[in-house]
């Protein structure tokens, strides 16, 4: 038996009693067509099982469609939540997503962005780590760009969706100070990243509480496990008088827990530990870890909505800030007289 020929746009036009241009307008969403004509065309397409060519439509509109999503690391728990949120929103809006990871390398990020621009995607969502100049070019060439979780200071016009990191760190610092802690170690990251925002919030909150900031207790680390471990070990070995540690990310929190265990420090009897990012393993620690929960899934979903649904609202009123939540568990306790 001969294989059935796929229906063409000419077949749909003939079945609906309209011109080919009208069918094209109905499926591309450009131009005008009455509701009755649109319904007649769609009914004919369903009857003939017609599928418009995405390649042909992309060539005509000079774009391939879809969304580009650039993240630092797809295996990172928070990034994975952001990706899931973008995919969930894109699915409801009938868009596909191209995901790539830059691994914190600005040159790799620039290559990914160039490739997405060449593919003429409808827009790009990114957790940026690269150079402002590269993103300035991408925002000019690409139809739209939205930042998620992070911003680049030199590009205030690019809309963004972020967690209220300052508010989360403020609540965590106030909680530790309320337990009587005054020598609180801070494990942070490179300036300009989200950890930089968190460090400023930590310093400002202590100042408002009348607690002096000891520079020796504020330690920065690269976003890597070995660097996080070295920072935590240096802090807890150098300062035996530290009674609490606030880690600005889950890698730093993991390092603080490992170092405390290796130094035979009891948590929270000898040192209280808390961190930003309520990842899955935090609840499985012994004792479970106090953490600031950041809405990764909601950040991704909202960024995708902003990109596709609300172009008129982009950039108005500054970044979209989503609330964080302090999750209190057993890793923090009241101040003891001294570490054993």
């Amino acid at each position: 038996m001969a294989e059935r020929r796929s229906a063409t746009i000419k077949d749909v036009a003939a079945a609906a009693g309209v011109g080919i241009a009208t069918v094209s307008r109905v499926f591309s969403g450009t131009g005008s067509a009455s509701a009755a004509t649109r319904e007649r065309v769609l009914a004919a397409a369903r009857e003939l099982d017609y599928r418009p060519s995405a390649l042909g439509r992309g060539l005509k509109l000079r774009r391939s469609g879809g969304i580009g999503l650039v993240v630092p690391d797809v295996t990172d728990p928070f990034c994975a939540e952001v990706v899931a949120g973008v995919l969930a929103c894109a699915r409801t809006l009938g868009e596909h997503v191209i995901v790539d990871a830059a691994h914190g390398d600005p040159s790799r990020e620039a290559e990914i962005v160039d490739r997405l621009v060449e593919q003429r995607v409808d827009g790009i969502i990114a957790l940026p780590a690269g150079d402002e100049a590269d993103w300035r070019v991408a925002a000019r060439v690409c139809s739209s760009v939205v930042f998620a979780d992070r911003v680049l200071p030199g590009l205030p016009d690019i809309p963004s969706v972020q967690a209220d990191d300052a508010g989360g760190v403020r609540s965590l610092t106030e909680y530790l100070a309320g337990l009587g802690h005054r020598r609180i170690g801070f494990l942070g990251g490179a300036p300009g990243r989200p950890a930089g925002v968190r460090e400023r919030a930590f310093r400002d909150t202590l100042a408002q509480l009348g607690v002096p900031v000891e520079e020796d207790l504020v330690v920065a680390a690269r976003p890597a496990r070995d660097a996080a471990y070295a920072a935590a070990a240096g802090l807890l070995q150098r300062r035996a008088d530290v009674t609490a540690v606030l880690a600005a990310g889950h890698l730093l929190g993991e390092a603080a827990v490992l170092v405390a265990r290796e130094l035979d420090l009891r948590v929270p009897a000898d040192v209280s530990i808390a961190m930003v990012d309520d990842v899955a393993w935090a609840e499985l620690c012994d004792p479970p870890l106090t953490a600031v929960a950041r809405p990764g899934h909601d950040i991704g979903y909202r960024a995708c909505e902003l990109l596709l649904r609300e172009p008129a609202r982009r950039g108005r009123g500054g970044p979209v800030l989503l609330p964080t939540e302090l999750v209190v568990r057993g890793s923090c306790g009241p101040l003891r007289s001294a570490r054993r």
Side-chain angles (χ1 to χ4, degrees), residues 184-253:
I184 304 172
F186 182 85
L187 297 174
R193 303 289 180 84
V197 174
R198 296 165 198 171
E199 182 181 326
R200 287 195 298 273
F202 172 74
R203 290 176 176 274
D204 292 345
T205 304
L206 287 184
Q208 292 165 8
L209 294 173
V211 178
V213 178
E214 297 185 46
E215 294 301 326
D216 195 39
L217 297 182
V218 179
V219 182
R222 292 181 295 102
R225 275 190 165 81
D226 58 345
Y229 182 89
L235 173 66
L236 290 174
Q237 289 177 329
R238 185 178 68 253
R239 292 293 300 262
D241 57 343
V242 168
T243 62
V245 173
L246 194 165
H250 63 85
L251 283 181
L252 294 160

Side-chain angles (χ1 to χ4, degrees), residues 69-72 78-79 82 109 125-129 146-150:
L69 175 57
V70 186
V71 296
F78 180 79
C79 290
V82 174
E109 182 178 88
I125 299 171
L127 283 70
V146 172
F147 288 155
D149 184 51
R150 306 175 181 180

Side-chain angles (χ1 to χ4, degrees), residues 93 146 159 301-316 320:
L93 299 178
V146 172
Y301 197 101
R302 190 70 186 87
C304 187
E305 273 192 331
L306 194 62
L307 187 79
L308 297 176
R309 276 186 174 168
E310 304 176 29
R313 293 180 57 186
R314 291 184 202 145
R316 292 187 178 180
V320 177

Side-chain angles (χ1 to χ4, degrees), residues 78 162-175 198 246-247 274-279 282-283 289-296 298-299 321-329:
F78 180 79
Q162 305 171 51
D164 183 11
D165 284 328
V169 171
R170 187 182 309 115
S171 64
L172 189 49
T173 306
E174 290 173 344
Y175 173 67
R198 296 165 198 171
L246 194 165
M275 70 178 181
V276 177
D277 277 339
D278 187 25
V279 294
E283 199 169 5
L289 217 59
T290 293
V292 172
R294 304 172 67 237
D298 291 345
I299 288 174
L321 280 183
L322 301 184
T324 57
E325 179 187 2
L326 176 60
V327 182
V328 176
R329 299 192 179 100

